[in-house]
Amino acid sequence: MELGIGMFGDVHIDPITGKMQSAAQRTQEIIEEIKLMDEVGVDFFGMGEHHRIEYAISSPEIILAAAATVTKNIKLGSAVSVISSADPVKLFQDFSTVDLISNGRAEIMAGRGSFIESFPLFGYDLKDYAELFEEKLALLLRLNKQETVTWSGKFRKPLINQEVFPRPVHGSLPIWVAVGGTTSSVIRAGKLGLPVMFAIIGGAIENFKHLVEMYQQAWEDNGHSMEDFQVGVHMHAFFGENGQEVANQYYPLYAAQMNRIGASRGWPPYQRSQYDFGRSIHGHLVVGDVNQSVEKILHVIEMFGLTRFSAHMDVGSPNHKDMMKAIELYGTHIIPKVKEALK
């Protein structure tokens, strides 16, 4: 069982003035936060890719390479790399380089992404959304298995006996697939024998149980060994010493970010009742003190048979001091208690 942290690199936006933190400051803070994660025993870190003003990180592999130089044990991956609008060859080379710098700690998490800015930015048409993902994921998997590749597809020039370097430390990289609630994505990952990270970022967690079961069925039906089976969930989280205090402190930041995202998607204003349900045993949030968080994480692990739990901790960008405290609590108290309970 691995317990880690995911971030999207949200920049802090002052709720009164609307002034936005600089990407430079937030980037430096993130490196400090990852360093602390490594020191307190967090198992893995995932960095998201976004191309919007309210996020500091557009290239996860660069922040991960920087983090590799100040960490020793923590696994370093994307959360996610938008494979649909990326060049799989360059993506593989970049993460192989991170793997070399980190001495074999790099991972790729491939996904479609929850925003669409990368498509026009890199010259792709949204009408090809599904085809792009399928073709580029297939090429990435081929590159990961073969040093010399012959390949042709619809959206890039063919590769003819092309050698692709550098190679990762152990010859190949762990590649996860991130999914939301799309049945076809879940079944595809099961057929391919790829580990899946389910993004549970709203509503009741029970709604995802049938998807996890569907994924496991596709895995077994396609002859993959259950010894290799890996499944994780990604949930919005934040931790403090007092459960009600941290919930009250975090709510305005979280609600503001939900409303910023919701404004472009036609969502109604975010309500405190949604937040409070999210914090309940049935909801998608892990926001509270150590004991509340341990109970919730264990509940989720048991419900889905998880091998990995990812706490997405920077939604709305709490201040750096509070982030450091939350990371410390997670690494020194929550993770040890969860792992001890699982024994």
Side-chain angles (χ1 to χ4, degrees), residues 274-313:
Q274 293 172 265
Y275 182 75
D276 291 337
F277 173 79
R279 292 185 63 236
S280 75
I281 199 68
H282 302 288
H284 70 288
L285 294 170
V286 187
V287 177
D289 62 28
V290 169
N291 290 333
Q292 291 170 329
S293 301
V294 169
E295 179 186 10
K296 182 71 168 280
I297 292 169
L298 286 170
H299 175 67
V300 175
I301 291 170
E302 181 180 4
M303 174 176 289
F304 298 121
L306 300 182
T307 62
R308 179 175 280 200
F309 174 83
S310 178
H312 182 173
M313 283 181 55

Side-chain angles (χ1 to χ4, degrees), residues 44 176 196-200 208 212 231-235 300-301 304 306-311:
F44 67 89
W176 287 66
V196 159
M197 181 67 74
F198 288 89
I200 303 180
F208 282 79
V212 176
V231 60
V233 299
H234 159 111
M235 297 172 67
V300 175
I301 291 170
F304 298 121
L306 300 182
T307 62
R308 179 175 280 200
F309 174 83
S310 178

Side-chain angles (χ1 to χ4, degrees), residues 8 10 234 236-237 250 253-254 257-258 261 312-318 323:
F8 284 179
D10 299 38
H234 159 111
H236 293 167
Y250 186 46
L253 294 171
Y254 187 82
Q257 183 69 330
M258 290 298 100
I261 295 170
H312 182 173
M313 283 181 55
D314 68 339
V315 180
S317 193
M323 284 289 294

Side-chain angles (χ1 to χ4, degrees), residues 4-287:
I5 292 174
M7 292 185 184
F8 284 179
D10 299 38
V11 298
H12 184 77
I13 301 174
D14 189 287
I16 299 174
T17 66
K19 183 178 179 181
M20 190 172 290
Q21 179 189 31
S22 72
Q25 181 185 2
R26 183 68 195 118
T27 300
Q28 294 299 320
E29 291 175 353
I30 289 170
I31 295 298
E32 290 182 25
E33 290 160 9
I34 303 170
K35 185 173 184 292
L36 178 61
M37 293 175 207
D38 187 55
E39 291 169 353
V40 299
V42 176
D43 292 320
F44 67 89
F45 171 74
M47 186 78 250
E49 172 192 345
H50 292 87
H51 305 273
R52 297 167 62 95
I53 192 171
E54 62 263 55
Y55 298 104
I57 308 300
S58 62
S59 300
E61 50 270 46
I62 294 179
I63 201 84
L64 298 174
T69 67
V70 296
T71 57
K72 296 179 180 178
N73 300 306
I74 192 169
K75 294 180 180 180
L76 301 167
S78 51
V80 300
S81 296
V82 184
I83 187 70
S84 306
S85 56
D87 177 8
V89 176
K90 189 67 169 66
L91 187 71
F92 177 77
Q93 290 177 318
D94 288 347
F95 274 87
S96 293
T97 303
V98 175
D99 199 59
L100 298 179
I101 297 170
S102 65
N103 194 27
R105 292 185 280 131
E107 303 180 338
I108 298 175
M109 186 178 295
R112 300 170 186 266
S114 59
F115 296 99
I116 61 172
E117 287 81 6
S118 65
F119 287 83
L121 185 64
F122 297 115
Y124 293 100
D125 195 322
L126 271 175
K127 71 178 176 60
D128 299 320
Y129 186 82
E131 284 185 285
L132 281 164
F133 180 80
E134 291 181 17
E135 178 176 303
K136 294 193 172 200
L137 178 61
L139 176 54
L140 179 64
L141 296 176
R142 178 85 67 87
L143 294 164
N144 200 37
K145 290 180 180 178
Q146 300 175 5
E147 189 172 299
T148 303
V149 175
T150 295
W151 176 92
S152 63
K154 179 178 178 181
F155 297 103
R156 78 181 313 277
K157 294 291 186 180
L159 299 172
I160 309 297
N161 291 325
Q162 182 67 56
E163 295 179 301
V164 179
F165 299 110
R167 304 303 299 180
V169 171
H170 302 295
S172 62
L173 295 166
I175 296 178
W176 287 66
V177 173
V179 301
T182 307
T183 300
S184 59
S185 297
V186 171
I187 294 173
R188 181 193 300 113
K191 286 181 176 179
L192 293 171
L194 296 174
V196 159
M197 181 67 74
F198 288 89
I200 303 180
I201 55 175
I205 57 176
E206 288 88 350
N207 294 338
F208 282 79
K209 189 168 177 59
H210 76 286
L211 291 172
V212 176
E213 292 170 348
M214 190 179 299
Y215 166 61
Q216 182 172 338
Q217 189 65 54
W219 179 283
E220 293 180 299
D221 287 348
N222 286 272
H224 304 299
S225 171
M226 286 305 295
E227 291 184 1
D228 301 322
F229 185 74
Q230 296 184 77
V231 60
V233 299
H234 159 111
M235 297 172 67
H236 293 167
F238 204 69
F239 314 113
E241 293 182 336
N242 181 289
Q244 196 57 55
E245 286 182 7
V246 72
N248 292 339
Q249 174 189 356
Y250 186 46
Y251 172 72
L253 294 171
Y254 187 82
Q257 183 69 330
M258 290 298 100
N259 286 330
R260 277 190 289 270
I261 295 170
S264 62
R265 300 184 177 184
W267 297 349
Y270 190 77
Q271 302 295 324
R272 180 68 193 236
S273 58
Q274 293 172 265
Y275 182 75
D276 291 337
F277 173 79
R279 292 185 63 236
S280 75
I281 199 68
H282 302 288
H284 70 288
L285 294 170
V286 187
V287 177

